[in-house]
Amino acid sequence: MQLQIKNGRVIDPASNTDAVQDVFIADGKIVALGSAPAGFAAERIIDASGLVLAPGLVDLSARLREPGFEYKATLESELQAAMRGGVTSLVCPPDTDPVLDESGLVEMLRQRAHTQHKAHVYPLGALTIGLKGVSLTEMAALTEAGCIGFSQAEHPIADTNTLQRALQYASTFGYTVWLRPQDAYIGRGGVAHAGPLASRLGLSGVPVMAETIALHTLFELMRATGAKVHVCRISSAAGLELIRQAKKEGLPLSCDVSAHHVHMTDADIGFFDSNARIDPPLRSQRDRDAIKAALQDGTIDAICSDHTPVDDDEKLLPFAEASPGATGLELLLSLALKWAEDSRGEISIATAIRKITSDAAKVAGIAGGSLQVGADADICVFDPDTRWKVQASSLLSQGKHTPFLGYELPGQVRLTMVAGRIAYEYGER
């Protein structure tokens, strides 16, 4: 189908474009911006007056819960939520059941996702068999099956010899290792940021040094092996300072932060609100302020949703017993826009969009996050002036739990397009 989207404000951070112009689409590709190419005859014209046309969002951490956890969510429900949120490409961690440690499992997941005809799904393979931190997986076979990197998800490797071997192997073949920095022992079993609030509430704490010790170890191993590493969901000011220094040193390093940590602190636990039970835990106001500063100066490369659907049986429990996780695919755009809004003019909408499109695509090493001529027509059209209230009943994700329930957020997606096909339009469910 040939489509024309007219009168929209095109924001494409990859090409530093921010202008009102038409977009022309044919055969799933963007074929022109501004003026129609010769012989173009639109079969449908979409008026985007007053709306923003951005690249489809790229989410660096979204658990789809298949295979193995279909009672929490399904590919169908979560990819539909992605379309509602304007997310056209997403990276999924390997902590499924069974774990994504065999090429056949990766191929099955990709095929299942492909049949949904929605977002592009990019799996991370398990770094070690069963995520047990003992034996390395067949990384070459997993890469051939479609994995874009390797991860331990929420399972730190206690044996640094194993981690060193994994980084050596990955470095030899140019693979990227995605790791959340957490010491295997310090803070184990903790459920909240180790600080005055956790002490008052009687909650077991996860100290910041659980993150910084892991980073110190990781950077030493990177120096020894030359491995390329993506640090997932950084949470502390001290951790960010180490990353800033490592980047200045020239280590092949990138990092992201969850949208929750951009806005919230451990105080948002309130009176044991299990919706705020996430990993890594929400930290102090000082840490949150450092995260915002690091986003602005480029130390943090991207914002992710850390989408982790959890069912009622595992969430509606006392805080310390509840499973960590929150839904996020439908909130990613709005929370990025809120970061810009809260900056009172210091952060532009274009900068916010960059962190969830082109910069995220660069981290993942995937095509996407761009509206340049010749690129796949993965497009998110949204109204930046409309505000919407986060309500469990209105979320398409099977996971209804988020610490942002009741919040009024900016930005409502009106249309999501994947490879030139309209996958979501406002008003449809």
Side-chain angles (χ1 to χ4, degrees):
M1 178 179 287
Q2 294 190 343
L3 295 167
Q4 176 184 355
I5 307 177
K6 67 176 186 178
N7 301 327
R9 178 186 173 187
V10 176
I11 298 180
D12 180 24
S15 60
N16 293 316
T17 298
D18 187 348
V20 175
Q21 56 184 343
D22 293 3
V23 177
F24 300 89
I25 298 154
D27 298 324
K29 302 284 187 180
I30 296 172
V31 294
L33 298 171
S35 301
F40 186 91
E43 298 170 58
R44 180 178 175 186
I45 299 175
I46 299 169
D47 189 355
S49 298
L51 306 179
V52 171
L53 270 75
L57 310 191
V58 179
D59 192 346
L60 295 180
S61 181
R63 289 174 169 83
L64 304 177
R65 294 308 199 188
E66 283 196 38
F69 299 105
E70 288 82 358
Y71 64 94
K72 296 181 181 182
T74 64
L75 273 173
E76 183 178 8
S77 66
E78 304 319 290
L79 292 181
Q80 189 64 25
M83 295 300 92
R84 167 78 75 83
V87 178
T88 59
S89 298
L90 51 86
V91 178
C92 56
D95 52 350
T96 50
D97 185 17
V99 168
L100 296 181
D101 58 5
E102 295 182 3
S103 58
L105 295 170
V106 174
E107 290 167 354
M108 181 185 70
L109 173 62
R110 293 186 69 219
Q111 180 60 31
R112 282 272 295 122
H114 180 71
T115 60
Q116 298 294 318
H117 300 293
K118 293 185 173 68
H120 308 289
V121 173
Y122 298 95
L124 294 173
L127 190 61
T128 60
I129 295 174
L131 298 176
K132 294 179 180 179
V134 178
S135 302
L136 304 187
T137 55
E138 294 287 345
M139 295 187 207
L142 288 169
T143 299
E144 289 178 6
C147 290
I148 64 165
F150 299 91
S151 168
Q152 280 294 109
E154 300 300 308
H155 303 268
I157 296 177
D159 187 339
T160 49
N161 278 322
T162 300
L163 181 56
Q164 182 181 26
R165 289 200 308 273
L167 293 176
Q168 285 173 335
Y169 189 90
S171 176
T172 299
F173 294 96
Y175 304 144
T176 301
V177 178
W178 298 47
L179 296 174
R180 182 165 82 79
Q182 53 177 333
D183 187 83
Y185 301 107
I186 293 175
R188 184 170 58 180
V191 298
H193 169 61
L197 181 74
S199 297
R200 288 198 302 272
L201 296 178
L203 298 173
S204 55
V206 181
V208 166
M209 65 178 172
E211 184 167 277
T212 56
I213 287 174
L215 286 172
H216 277 294
T217 301
L218 177 60
F219 295 157
E220 283 297 326
L221 293 176
M222 287 178 68
R223 293 181 185 105
T225 63
K228 181 180 179 182
V229 173
H230 176 66
V231 174
C232 307
R233 287 167 292 141
I234 196 74
S235 70
S236 69
L240 281 167
E241 187 53 38
L242 293 176
I243 286 176
R244 189 174 283 113
Q245 294 171 11
K247 282 190 167 187
K248 287 181 179 178
E249 181 185 332
L251 292 182
L253 176 70
S254 58
C255 77
D256 67 48
V257 66
S258 87
H260 309 106
H261 290 80
V262 177
H263 297 287
M264 291 191 157
T265 70
D266 57 347
D268 289 292
I269 291 172
F271 294 102
F272 303 98
D273 179 8
S274 60
N275 285 323
R277 167 80 172 93
I278 59 176
D279 283 336
L282 296 170
R283 297 205 180 272
S284 69
Q285 182 174 332
R286 175 178 173 272
D287 293 311
R288 184 196 60 187
D289 292 346
I291 285 169
K292 289 187 174 184
L295 275 169
Q296 191 168 357
D297 69 21
T299 301
I300 297 176
D301 297 275
I303 301 172
C304 70
S305 74
D306 193 22
H307 178 71
T308 308
V310 180
D311 68 335
D312 288 352
D313 289 345
E314 295 183 5
K315 203 64 169 174
L316 300 180
L317 294 170
F319 188 92
E321 299 173 24
S323 292
T327 189
L329 281 169
E330 294 162 84
L331 280 68
L332 178 59
L333 173 65
S334 292
L335 293 175
L337 295 176
K338 179 174 168 56
W339 167 54
E341 182 180 85
D342 290 348
S343 74
R344 299 181 180 180
E346 289 188 23
I347 306 298
S348 66
I349 289 180
T351 298
I353 291 173
R354 180 187 295 275
K355 294 293 183 182
I356 52 176
T357 58
S358 57
D359 283 358
K362 183 178 179 182
V363 165
I366 61 176
S370 167
L371 295 179
Q372 298 179 55
V373 172
D376 284 346
D378 295 343
I379 298 173
C380 171
V381 180
F382 67 91
D383 185 343
D385 298 321
T386 295
R387 306 186 75 83
W388 63 287
K389 189 173 183 179
V390 183
Q391 297 176 305
S393 60
S394 64
L395 295 173
L396 295 187
S397 170
Q398 199 167 312
K400 307 298 183 183
H401 298 281
T402 167
F404 293 99
L405 286 176
Y407 277 60
E408 191 174 82
L409 298 177
Q412 186 175 64
V413 175
R414 294 300 178 89
L415 181 146
T416 302
M417 184 177 291
V418 180
R421 187 182 63 84
I422 297 173
Y424 169 80
E425 280 192 86
Y426 178 71
E428 296 182 356
R429 285 189 66 90

Coordinates of all heavy atoms in Angstrom, one line a residue, residues 204-251:
S204 N 14.3 -5.7 53.9 CA 15.7 -6.0 53.7 C 16.2 -5.2 52.5 O 15.5 -5.0 51.5 CB 15.8 -7.5 53.4 OG 15.0 -7.9 52.3
G205 N 17.4 -4.7 52.7 CA 17.9 -3.7 51.7 C 18.9 -4.3 50.7 O 19.6 -5.3 50.9
V206 N 19.0 -3.6 49.6 CA 20.0 -3.8 48.5 C 20.9 -2.6 48.5 O 20.5 -1.5 48.0 CB 19.4 -4.0 47.2 CG1 20.4 -4.3 46.1 CG2 18.3 -5.2 47.2
P207 N 22.1 -2.6 49.0 CA 23.0 -1.5 49.1 C 23.5 -1.1 47.7 O 23.6 -1.9 46.8 CB 24.1 -1.9 50.0 CG 24.1 -3.3 49.9 CD 22.7 -3.8 49.7
V208 N 23.8 0.2 47.5 CA 24.4 0.6 46.2 C 25.6 -0.1 45.9 O 25.9 -0.4 44.7 CB 24.6 2.2 46.3 CG1 25.5 2.6 45.1 CG2 23.3 2.9 46.3
M209 N 26.4 -0.5 46.9 CA 27.7 -1.2 46.6 C 27.4 -2.6 45.9 O 28.4 -3.1 45.3 CB 28.5 -1.4 47.8 CG 28.0 -2.3 48.9 SD 29.2 -2.4 50.2 CE 28.2 -3.3 51.5
A210 N 26.2 -3.1 46.0 CA 26.0 -4.3 45.2 C 26.1 -4.0 43.7 O 26.5 -4.9 42.9 CB 24.6 -4.8 45.5
E211 N 25.8 -2.8 43.3 CA 25.9 -2.4 41.9 C 27.4 -2.0 41.6 O 27.9 -2.3 40.6 CB 25.0 -1.2 41.7 CG 24.9 -0.7 40.2 CD 23.8 0.2 40.0 OE1 22.6 -0.3 39.7 OE2 23.9 1.4 40.0
T212 N 28.0 -1.2 42.5 CA 29.3 -0.6 42.2 C 30.4 -1.7 42.3 O 31.3 -1.7 41.4 CB 29.7 0.5 43.2 OG1 29.6 0.0 44.5 CG2 28.7 1.7 43.0
I213 N 30.3 -2.7 43.2 CA 31.3 -3.8 43.2 C 31.2 -4.6 41.9 O 32.2 -4.9 41.3 CB 31.0 -4.7 44.4 CG1 31.5 -4.0 45.7 CG2 31.8 -6.0 44.3 CD1 31.1 -4.7 47.0
A214 N 30.0 -4.8 41.4 CA 29.8 -5.6 40.2 C 30.4 -4.8 39.0 O 31.1 -5.4 38.1 CB 28.4 -5.9 39.9
L215 N 30.3 -3.5 39.0 CA 30.8 -2.6 37.9 C 32.3 -2.6 38.0 O 33.0 -2.7 36.9 CB 30.3 -1.2 38.0 CG 28.8 -1.0 37.6 CD1 28.4 0.4 37.9 CD2 28.7 -1.3 36.1
H216 N 32.9 -2.5 39.2 CA 34.4 -2.5 39.3 C 34.9 -3.8 38.7 O 35.9 -3.8 37.9 CB 34.8 -2.4 40.7 CG 34.9 -1.0 41.3 ND1 35.8 -0.1 40.8 CD2 34.1 -0.4 42.2 CE1 35.6 1.1 41.5 NE2 34.6 0.9 42.3
T217 N 34.3 -5.0 39.1 CA 34.7 -6.3 38.5 C 34.6 -6.3 37.0 O 35.5 -6.8 36.3 CB 33.9 -7.4 39.2 OG1 34.1 -7.3 40.6 CG2 34.4 -8.7 38.7
L218 N 33.4 -5.9 36.6 CA 33.1 -5.9 35.1 C 34.1 -5.1 34.3 O 34.7 -5.6 33.3 CB 31.7 -5.4 34.9 CG 31.3 -5.4 33.4 CD1 31.3 -6.7 32.8 CD2 29.9 -4.8 33.3
F219 N 34.5 -3.9 34.8 CA 35.4 -3.1 34.0 C 36.8 -3.6 34.0 O 37.5 -3.5 33.0 CB 35.4 -1.7 34.6 CG 34.0 -1.0 34.4 CD1 33.7 0.1 35.2 CD2 33.1 -1.4 33.4 CE1 32.4 0.7 35.1 CE2 31.9 -0.7 33.3 CZ 31.6 0.3 34.1
E220 N 37.2 -4.3 35.1 CA 38.5 -4.9 35.1 C 38.6 -6.1 34.1 O 39.5 -6.2 33.3 CB 38.8 -5.5 36.5 CG 39.3 -4.4 37.5 CD 40.6 -3.8 37.1 OE1 41.5 -4.4 36.5 OE2 40.8 -2.6 37.4
L221 N 37.5 -6.8 34.0 CA 37.4 -7.9 33.0 C 37.3 -7.4 31.6 O 37.8 -8.0 30.7 CB 36.2 -8.8 33.3 CG 36.3 -9.6 34.7 CD1 35.0 -10.4 34.9 CD2 37.5 -10.5 34.6
M222 N 36.6 -6.3 31.4 CA 36.6 -5.7 30.1 C 38.0 -5.2 29.6 O 38.3 -5.4 28.5 CB 35.6 -4.5 30.1 CG 34.1 -4.9 30.2 SD 33.1 -3.4 30.2 CE 33.3 -2.7 28.5
R223 N 38.7 -4.6 30.6 CA 40.1 -4.2 30.2 C 40.9 -5.4 29.8 O 41.8 -5.3 28.9 CB 40.7 -3.5 31.4 CG 40.1 -2.2 31.7 CD 40.7 -1.5 32.9 NE 40.0 -0.3 33.3 CZ 39.2 -0.2 34.4 NH1 39.1 -1.2 35.2 NH2 38.6 1.0 34.7
A224 N 40.7 -6.5 30.5 CA 41.5 -7.7 30.2 C 41.1 -8.4 28.9 O 41.9 -9.0 28.2 CB 41.4 -8.7 31.4
T225 N 39.8 -8.3 28.5 CA 39.3 -9.1 27.4 C 39.0 -8.3 26.2 O 38.9 -8.9 25.1 CB 38.0 -9.9 27.8 OG1 37.0 -8.9 28.2 CG2 38.3 -10.8 29.0
G226 N 38.7 -7.0 26.4 CA 38.3 -6.2 25.2 C 36.8 -6.4 24.8 O 36.4 -5.9 23.8
A227 N 36.1 -7.0 25.7 CA 34.7 -7.3 25.3 C 33.8 -6.1 25.3 O 34.1 -5.1 26.1 CB 34.1 -8.3 26.3
K228 N 32.8 -6.1 24.5 CA 31.8 -5.0 24.4 C 30.7 -5.3 25.3 O 30.1 -6.4 25.2 CB 31.3 -4.8 22.9 CG 30.4 -3.7 22.8 CD 29.9 -3.6 21.3 CE 28.9 -2.5 21.1 NZ 28.4 -2.4 19.7
V229 N 30.3 -4.4 26.2 CA 29.3 -4.7 27.2 C 28.2 -3.6 27.2 O 28.6 -2.4 27.1 CB 29.9 -4.8 28.6 CG1 28.9 -4.9 29.7 CG2 30.8 -6.0 28.7
H230 N 27.0 -4.0 27.3 CA 25.9 -3.1 27.6 C 25.4 -3.3 29.0 O 25.0 -4.4 29.4 CB 24.7 -3.3 26.6 CG 23.6 -2.4 26.9 ND1 23.6 -1.0 26.8 CD2 22.3 -2.7 27.4 CE1 22.4 -0.5 27.2 NE2 21.7 -1.5 27.5
V231 N 25.5 -2.2 29.8 CA 25.1 -2.3 31.2 C 23.6 -1.9 31.3 O 23.2 -0.9 30.9 CB 25.9 -1.3 32.1 CG1 25.3 -1.3 33.5 CG2 27.4 -1.7 32.1
C232 N 22.8 -2.9 31.8 CA 21.4 -2.7 31.8 C 20.9 -2.1 33.1 O 21.3 -2.5 34.2 CB 20.7 -4.1 31.7 SG 21.3 -5.0 30.2
R233 N 20.0 -1.2 33.0 CA 19.2 -0.6 34.1 C 20.1 -0.2 35.3 O 19.9 -0.6 36.4 CB 18.1 -1.6 34.5 CG 17.0 -1.7 33.5 CD 16.1 -2.9 33.7 NE 16.9 -4.1 33.5 CZ 16.7 -5.2 34.2 NH1 15.9 -5.3 35.2 NH2 17.4 -6.3 33.9
I234 N 21.0 0.7 35.0 CA 21.8 1.4 36.1 C 20.8 2.1 37.0 O 19.8 2.6 36.6 CB 22.8 2.3 35.4 CG1 23.9 2.7 36.4 CG2 22.2 3.6 34.8 CD1 24.9 1.6 36.7
S235 N 21.2 2.1 38.3 CA 20.2 2.7 39.3 C 20.8 3.7 40.3 O 20.0 4.3 41.0 CB 19.6 1.5 40.1 OG 20.5 0.9 41.0
S236 N 22.1 3.9 40.3 CA 22.7 4.7 41.4 C 23.6 5.8 40.9 O 24.2 5.6 39.8 CB 23.4 3.8 42.4 OG 24.6 3.3 41.8
A237 N 23.8 6.8 41.7 CA 24.7 7.9 41.3 C 26.1 7.4 41.3 O 26.9 7.7 40.4 CB 24.6 9.0 42.3
A238 N 26.5 6.5 42.3 CA 27.8 6.0 42.4 C 28.2 5.1 41.1 O 29.2 5.2 40.6 CB 28.0 5.2 43.6
G239 N 27.2 4.3 40.7 CA 27.4 3.5 39.6 C 27.5 4.3 38.3 O 28.4 4.0 37.4
L240 N 26.8 5.4 38.2 CA 26.9 6.2 37.0 C 28.2 6.9 37.0 O 28.8 7.1 35.9 CB 25.8 7.3 37.1 CG 24.4 6.8 36.6 CD1 23.3 7.8 37.0 CD2 24.4 6.5 35.1
E241 N 28.8 7.3 38.1 CA 30.1 7.9 38.1 C 31.2 6.9 37.6 O 32.1 7.3 36.8 CB 30.5 8.4 39.5 CG 31.8 9.2 39.5 CD 31.8 10.4 38.5 OE1 30.7 11.0 38.3 OE2 32.9 10.6 37.9
L242 N 31.0 5.7 37.9 CA 32.0 4.6 37.4 C 31.8 4.5 35.9 O 32.8 4.3 35.2 CB 31.7 3.3 38.2 CG 32.1 3.3 39.6 CD1 31.7 1.9 40.2 CD2 33.6 3.5 39.9
I243 N 30.6 4.5 35.4 CA 30.3 4.3 34.0 C 30.9 5.5 33.3 O 31.5 5.4 32.2 CB 28.8 4.2 33.7 CG1 28.4 2.7 34.2 CG2 28.5 4.4 32.3 CD1 26.9 2.5 34.1
R244 N 30.7 6.7 33.8 CA 31.2 7.9 33.2 C 32.7 7.8 33.0 O 33.3 8.2 32.0 CB 30.8 9.1 34.0 CG 31.1 10.5 33.4 CD 30.5 11.6 34.2 NE 29.1 11.8 34.1 CZ 28.2 11.5 35.0 NH1 28.6 11.1 36.2 NH2 26.9 11.7 34.8
Q245 N 33.4 7.4 34.1 CA 34.9 7.3 34.0 C 35.3 6.2 33.0 O 36.3 6.4 32.3 CB 35.4 6.9 35.4 CG 35.2 8.0 36.5 CD 35.6 7.6 37.9 OE1 36.1 6.5 38.1 NE2 35.2 8.4 38.9
A246 N 34.6 5.1 33.0 CA 34.9 4.0 32.1 C 34.7 4.4 30.6 O 35.5 4.1 29.7 CB 34.1 2.8 32.4
K247 N 33.7 5.2 30.4 CA 33.5 5.7 29.0 C 34.6 6.7 28.6 O 35.1 6.7 27.5 CB 32.1 6.4 28.9 CG 31.0 5.4 28.8 CD 29.7 6.2 28.4 CE 28.6 5.2 28.0 NZ 27.4 5.9 27.5
K248 N 35.0 7.6 29.5 CA 36.1 8.5 29.3 C 37.4 7.7 29.0 O 38.2 8.1 28.2 CB 36.3 9.4 30.4 CG 35.2 10.5 30.6 CD 35.5 11.4 31.7 CE 34.4 12.5 31.8 NZ 34.7 13.4 33.0
E249 N 37.6 6.6 29.6 CA 38.7 5.7 29.4 C 38.7 5.1 28.1 O 39.8 4.7 27.5 CB 38.8 4.7 30.5 CG 39.9 3.7 30.5 CD 39.8 2.6 31.5 OE1 39.2 2.8 32.6 OE2 40.4 1.5 31.3
G250 N 37.5 5.0 27.5 CA 37.4 4.4 26.1 C 37.0 3.0 26.1 O 37.1 2.3 25.1
L251 N 36.5 2.4 27.2 CA 36.0 1.1 27.2 C 34.7 1.0 26.3 O 33.9 1.9 26.3 CB 35.6 0.6 28.6 CG 36.7 0.4 29.6 CD1 36.2 -0.1 31.0 CD2 37.8 -0.5 29.1

